[in-house]
Amino acid sequence: MKFQLIILFICLTGLVQAQTWNMNMLTDSINITGPYSDTRNIVVSERQMRYSDPVKKFGLHFRNNMVNEMANDVSISNLFGSPIIGAHGPRTVVNYSGNFQSAGGQSFPSLCVLDSGKIVLTAEARVNLVLSGSFFTRQFWCLSDGTGTVEFAPGFVADRTQQGVTADGLGSIRFSNCNLVTHETQGLPLGYRPNPGMINSHLVFEDQPGSRWITKTNTQDYKGGLWVRVSMAVETQSNLLLSGIRSVWSDYTNFGGIFLENPELTLVKEGASTLTITGEQGYNVGATLVIRSGNVNFVSNPYLANDSTFYKSQNRQTGQNLEILLEQNGTVQFSGTLAHIRKLNVQSENAVVRVSRGSTILAKEAEFGGTFRFDIPSGIRLTVGDSFQVFAVNVLNGRFNNLVLPTYGGAISWDTSGFYLRGILKVAVGDVVTGFDAKELLNQINVYPNPSADWISLELPQQESVDFWMYNAAGKEVFYQKNLKQGERISLQGHSKGVFYFKVRLQNGLSKTGKLMVE
């Protein structure tokens, strides 16, 4: 009996050992070249330095050109434990659905995607890089050659901190020449620190240029900081909002919004959807935003003047360093009160510059071309003499090919004589309240019966009263009535047979003309 118990103990011990897979990141280089079915818990010790060549070799690397389902739980044995997972080859995909824990104070967990490999954090995956106690977040370091992709699948949840109550979540991720694909706001790296609960979160593009952030499926709102340290691209296949602002604690400041941190950086915006910036912004000397497709909407001002805490106590990064370059089918939109930039450079006849009522572009230099569009929101009354300064530019070159100014069906016209001299648009003629579909409104106006021998009446939108004119074939006014209401009859007695013309003017200034046959 005693012998049997010893044997049972040995067997159980062996079973427990078989369920744990210990990996040393300094010595273990494990390559998966065939089907993968291992489900052991992985415990990692030691580390390689981020973005280093050993990251491409040591750790667990899939090189099998297969779709792999990896459900292993991953943890670390000490503060230096830094797991490495790699995907290599154009058909190699690693769908990770396990529990990944690497919240060590000196941990550098890495994802390595080379030769078009892909690693996907699935909806079932749970990633915790938040340190207990301090709530500082570690991050993934993602290394690629420009062809690999890290994707946060629909359903993946990054933030599990419960507004700074629980140290659990993915607060930050960093990329070197790597593609990132995201689908939902909840999948974007985010975490909170307590006292008070404020955001500690950032997406960092650094080391080697060439990274690309691709948004898909759903509109996404990133409340953390987009820190750009090397040139990169953002491709908006779905709308993206950058709403982050700084969070300040006594021991740390997290900068939200968007920052082009180093000199002479270029951020390229592609994709048909809109990138909207409502958060803080910072741009170093020589920063360029190239917009090739879709829209970039500046709601917040790129320039934060006289801000001693602006980007880590360096007050050098302002919107007055930023050049906006429009190429191909790019559109830039200014919706805030002011937008301080260095240069607006329109280099495509298909490009569009949009300025909303109440917004002004302040630039040292501008090169105009393409189309200018003036946007006015609903519920605004426009009257003769109303003036809007849409830009103030020190050095101006070129002209827009097209000016698209709202006329509300001819209800107003614009004086553009001061447009290129002082950036001013002025209402020349008209009186109208914005906020309706002029075409739809005019389509509701009908004169009936037509033709008619005795009388006519008007079908009008809602309870409108209108002014009504009739003109003979020679254009002479033969009838006028003010404040005509729907259903009122207009006698045709005394008018000869033939062709007449009518004009109906609504209270908002819109007019409709047409032909009337008197029999």
Side-chain angles (χ1 to χ4, degrees):
M1 182 67 178
K2 184 176 180 180
F3 178 76
Q4 289 176 332
L5 288 174
I6 293 173
I7 295 297
L8 178 61
F9 175 78
I10 293 173
C11 291
L12 289 174
T13 302
L15 180 62
V16 172
Q17 290 175 342
Q19 291 177 342
T20 300
W21 191 357
N22 294 306
M23 292 187 189
N24 185 313
M25 294 297 101
L26 292 177
T27 59
D28 292 338
S29 177
I30 302 163
N31 295 297
I32 307 300
T33 58
Y36 182 77
S37 59
D38 201 301
T39 60
R40 288 177 291 174
N41 295 333
I42 298 174
V43 179
V44 172
S45 61
E46 305 305 331
R47 69 179 183 183
Q48 296 291 345
M49 294 305 295
R50 48 194 178 267
Y51 304 137
S52 64
D53 283 341
V55 170
K56 304 173 186 178
K57 175 182 177 182
F58 294 98
L60 178 62
H61 292 267
F62 293 80
R63 305 176 188 270
N64 54 8
N65 285 312
M66 297 177 179
V67 176
N68 303 274
E69 303 300 329
M70 182 180 176
N72 310 71
D73 288 345
V74 178
S75 61
I76 58 177
S77 62
N78 55 49
L79 296 180
F80 290 88
S82 302
I84 300 171
I85 300 174
H88 306 252
R91 293 182 298 279
T92 301
V93 178
V94 178
N95 292 320
Y96 182 76
S97 59
N99 188 353
F100 191 102
Q101 300 277 341
S102 187
Q106 301 296 323
S107 182
F108 298 150
S110 295
L111 303 179
C112 179
V113 282
L114 300 173
D115 302 324
S116 300
K118 178 189 283 190
I119 295 177
V120 180
L121 299 182
T122 69
E124 296 75 27
R126 186 166 184 141
V127 178
N128 181 26
L129 304 181
V130 178
L131 278 63
S132 177
S134 69
F135 278 75
F136 281 120
T137 182
R138 304 305 296 163
Q139 46 254 304
F140 277 124
W141 275 267
C142 301
L143 173 65
S144 184
D145 54 5
T147 66
T149 300
V150 173
E151 181 172 358
F152 300 155
F156 173 72
V157 177
D159 177 30
R160 301 177 186 272
T161 60
Q162 303 179 70
Q163 302 285 313
V165 174
T166 305
D168 187 4
L170 172 58
S172 175
I173 188 166
R174 297 170 180 258
F175 298 89
S176 174
N177 196 15
C178 184
N179 298 308
L180 167 66
V181 177
T182 61
H183 294 268
E184 297 172 324
T185 296
Q186 70 175 15
L188 301 178
L190 192 68
Y192 286 79
R193 296 185 72 203
N195 303 319
M198 293 187 295
I199 290 172
N200 178 27
S201 172
H202 32 274
L203 276 171
V204 187
F205 294 88
E206 59 185 3
D207 189 52
Q208 296 299 315
S211 290
R212 177 177 292 263
W213 179 10
I214 305 169
T215 60
K216 292 184 175 182
T217 311
N218 299 292
T219 294
Q220 297 167 47
D221 177 6
Y222 187 48
K223 298 178 175 64
L226 173 58
W227 299 353
V228 180
R229 294 173 175 171
V230 292
S231 295
M232 62 162 298
V234 174
E235 181 180 334
T236 53
Q237 296 182 24
S238 65
N239 292 335
L240 173 62
L241 171 63
L242 299 178
S243 63
I245 60 175
R246 78 191 68 179
S247 297
V248 180
W249 296 271
S250 60
D251 57 351
Y252 180 67
T253 297
N254 184 82
F255 289 85
I258 176 172
F259 294 87
L260 272 62
E261 297 183 8
N262 293 322
E264 307 300 330
L265 293 185
T266 298
L267 174 64
V268 177
K269 158 64 173 73
E270 296 179 330
S273 295
T274 298
L275 168 61
T276 301
I277 305 173
T278 63
E280 295 179 334
Q281 302 177 57
Y283 303 93
N284 210 323
V285 174
T288 303
L289 171 63
V290 181
I291 308 173
R292 292 180 178 158
S293 56
N295 182 20
V296 176
N297 182 8
F298 286 90
V299 179
S300 57
N301 190 347
Y303 177 54
L304 298 179
N306 301 319
D307 187 345
S308 61
T309 62
F310 189 44
Y311 191 64
K312 301 181 180 178
S313 300
Q314 299 178 30
N315 194 28
R316 62 184 182 182
Q317 287 160 295
T318 76
Q320 292 181 327
N321 291 324
L322 176 64
E323 175 180 352
I324 299 174
L325 174 59
L326 294 177
E327 299 179 345
Q328 300 176 15
N329 299 308
T331 296
V332 64
Q333 180 177 0
F334 299 96
S335 301
T337 303
L338 293 174
H340 290 76
I341 59 175
R342 180 175 65 84
K343 183 177 182 179
L344 177 59
N345 190 353
V346 186
Q347 290 296 311
S348 170
E349 63 180 12
N350 297 319
V352 179
V353 176
R354 297 176 57 183
V355 177
S356 298
R357 172 189 174 274
S359 300
T360 304
I361 306 168
L362 302 178
K364 297 178 181 178
E365 185 179 355
E367 184 81 29
F368 285 163
T371 296
F372 175 88
R373 174 177 161 182
F374 188 42
D375 297 326
I376 301 179
S378 300
I380 303 299
R381 188 176 191 90
L382 299 177
T383 59
V384 174
D386 285 349
S387 179
F388 307 93
Q389 182 162 22
V390 293
F391 62 80
V393 176
N394 294 345
V395 179
L396 173 60
N397 297 298
R399 294 290 187 269
F400 290 106
N401 299 330
N402 302 290
L403 296 182
V404 179
L405 309 177
T407 62
Y408 304 100
I412 63 170
S413 62
W414 293 89
D415 176 0
T416 59
S417 59
F419 183 69
Y420 291 108
L421 292 174
R422 299 181 300 279
I424 291 177
L425 293 170
K426 183 180 291 186
V427 177
V429 176
D431 188 335
V432 69
V433 177
T434 66
F436 52 83
D437 187 326
K439 182 177 180 181
E440 180 180 344
L441 199 62
L442 292 175
N443 284 340
Q444 297 177 43
I445 300 173
N446 185 35
V447 176
Y448 68 94
N450 188 6
S452 178
D454 302 313
W455 58 269
I456 57 173
S457 187
L458 300 183
E459 181 181 2
L460 300 173
Q462 300 177 347
Q463 301 299 318
E464 284 271 2
S465 62
V466 300
D467 297 340
F468 182 82
W469 291 263
M470 277 181 59
Y471 305 90
N472 64 20
K476 180 181 178 180
E477 181 183 311
V478 296
F479 179 83
Y480 167 71
Q481 182 172 333
K482 188 176 179 65
N483 294 327
L484 184 66
K485 293 182 171 54
Q486 179 164 279
E488 290 188 38
R489 291 190 176 190
I490 301 170
S491 175
L492 298 178
Q493 297 300 316
H495 297 294
S496 61
K497 295 180 180 180
V499 176
F500 290 79
Y501 297 92
F502 69 84
K503 176 181 177 181
V504 180
R505 185 174 68 191
L506 300 177
Q507 293 174 348
N508 59 28
L510 277 180
S511 296
K512 181 174 183 176
T513 59
K515 183 185 293 186
L516 171 65
M517 295 297 298
V518 177
E519 296 179 333

